[in-house]
Amino acid sequence: MSGKRSLIRSGTTVDQMVRAIGDRIVTGFLRPGEKLDEASLAARFDVSRTPVREALGRLSAMGLVERRPNRGATVAVVTQEHLASMFESMAELEAICARFSAERMTAGERRALEIEHQASARLVQLAAEEDYEYFNTEFHTRLYRGAHSKHIYELTVMTRSRLAPFRRAQFMLPGRLAKSWQEHDVIVTAIMRGDSAAAGKAAKDHVSIVSEASAVFAAVDPRKPATEAIGMSS
C-alpha cells in the first residue's frame, strides 16, 4: 500500500510528491508537528528544492502541512472535527453531481458508467487496491462530468483534491473495497433509472460512509484536553 512503499525518487513530479508525502501524513508515518525539511525532501526525491516548495504549498492548501514564515513547514494536525467538516461539504457536492447525472447524463455516458462499474467488480475479487483506487477516482469523475455543470465540476474536484489522501487511505481498511463497490452499485442503479432523488441520497450516504472509514486516520489534537480527545474518537 502507498504508505508502506518506498518514496518515489528519480524523475519525481510534483503530483507524485504531493501524493507520497500526503499518504505518509495520513497514515501516520509523518506525525503532527514533525518538521518537513526542504533540503532533506529534495535529496530523498532526487529533485531541486523548487518542486519541493510547490508540493509543500499544495499540501498546505489541503490542510496537511503548516507553513510559517522563518519556521519552515511542519505536519499539520488534522482533527476528526476538521475532517468531518470537509467530508460534510464533499457529501453535499457529490449528492448534487449524482442527482444532476441522473437527470442530465447522455445515454452514452450512462452506458459507460455502468460498464466501468461492472468491470470494477473484478478488481474487488482480486483485492487490487491500487487499481480499484484508480477506478474509484474515474468513477467519481464521471459523476462530476455527468452533472454537466462547469462550476459544480470545478468546485467538486477542488474539494475532492483536499480529501484525496484520506479517500485513498480508506482502502487500507479490511473489506472496504467490497463495501465501496456495493455503495457505487446503488448510485449507478439510481442513475440508470433516472431517479435523481435516489441517486443523490446514495451518493451522499456513500461519502458519509467514506468519512467514517477515513476518520480513523485523523489525528488527536494535542492542544485539546485528553477527555475531549477521547470523546472525539468514539
Side-chain angles (χ1 to χ4, degrees):
M1 286 169 278
S2 57
K4 295 182 180 179
R5 291 195 300 270
S6 297
L7 291 179
I8 306 161
R9 289 187 60 82
S10 184
T12 302
T13 66
V14 172
D15 286 342
Q16 288 172 321
M17 280 190 285
V18 170
R19 179 186 175 108
I21 297 171
D23 285 349
R24 286 187 163 237
I25 291 172
V26 168
T27 54
F29 284 85
L30 295 172
R31 306 299 299 170
E34 187 170 337
K35 183 173 176 58
L36 298 170
D37 181 67
E38 289 182 5
S40 299
L41 288 171
R44 183 180 290 271
F45 285 106
D46 195 20
V47 295
S48 70
R49 293 176 69 165
T50 299
V52 170
R53 290 192 192 100
E54 183 178 345
L56 292 177
R58 285 170 56 177
L59 288 164
S60 177
M62 293 165 69
L64 294 177
V65 168
E66 290 184 359
R67 302 179 82 183
R68 298 178 182 177
N70 304 317
R71 295 186 61 181
T74 58
V75 176
V77 174
V78 182
T79 65
Q80 290 185 7
E81 181 181 18
H82 179 64
L83 188 61
S85 176
M86 289 195 292
F87 268 111
E88 184 178 49
S89 300
M90 189 78 246
E92 295 296 337
L93 288 167
E94 294 250 8
I96 293 172
C97 289
R99 190 169 70 247
F100 282 177
S101 288
E103 297 171 353
R104 302 175 180 179
M105 266 188 169
T106 65
E109 287 173 327
R110 292 172 198 268
R111 283 196 300 271
L113 178 70
E114 184 177 35
I115 289 170
E116 289 298 317
H117 167 62
Q118 294 300 333
S120 70
R122 179 64 175 164
L123 303 178
V124 176
Q125 293 170 357
L126 296 173
E129 291 179 13
E130 287 190 25
D131 290 337
Y132 186 84
E133 177 197 318
Y134 175 79
F135 156 77
N136 184 62
T137 299
E138 291 297 305
F139 175 85
H140 285 274
T141 300
R142 284 182 186 277
L143 297 184
Y144 308 159
R145 292 198 175 111
H148 291 278
S149 170
K150 182 179 179 181
H151 179 68
I152 290 174
Y153 172 82
E154 292 174 348
L155 185 59
T156 308
V157 169
M158 179 183 69
T159 305
R160 182 183 176 88
S161 70
R162 298 189 65 182
L163 287 166
F166 289 97
R167 296 188 75 147
R168 282 196 299 271
Q170 65 169 310
F171 297 123
M172 298 172 65
L173 302 176
R176 183 59 202 148
L177 259 64
K179 292 177 182 177
S180 173
W181 190 92
Q182 292 164 4
E183 292 155 20
H184 285 179
D185 195 54
V186 178
I187 298 171
V188 172
T189 299
I191 289 176
M192 296 303 292
R193 289 201 314 258
D195 189 337
S196 60
K201 181 180 184 304
K204 184 174 181 178
D205 290 346
H206 172 55
V207 177
S208 296
I209 293 169
V210 172
S211 174
E212 293 173 6
S214 303
V216 299
F217 298 102
V220 173
D221 190 340
R223 294 167 295 190
K224 291 183 178 292
T227 53
E228 185 176 352
I230 293 172
M232 286 174 56
S233 63
S234 60

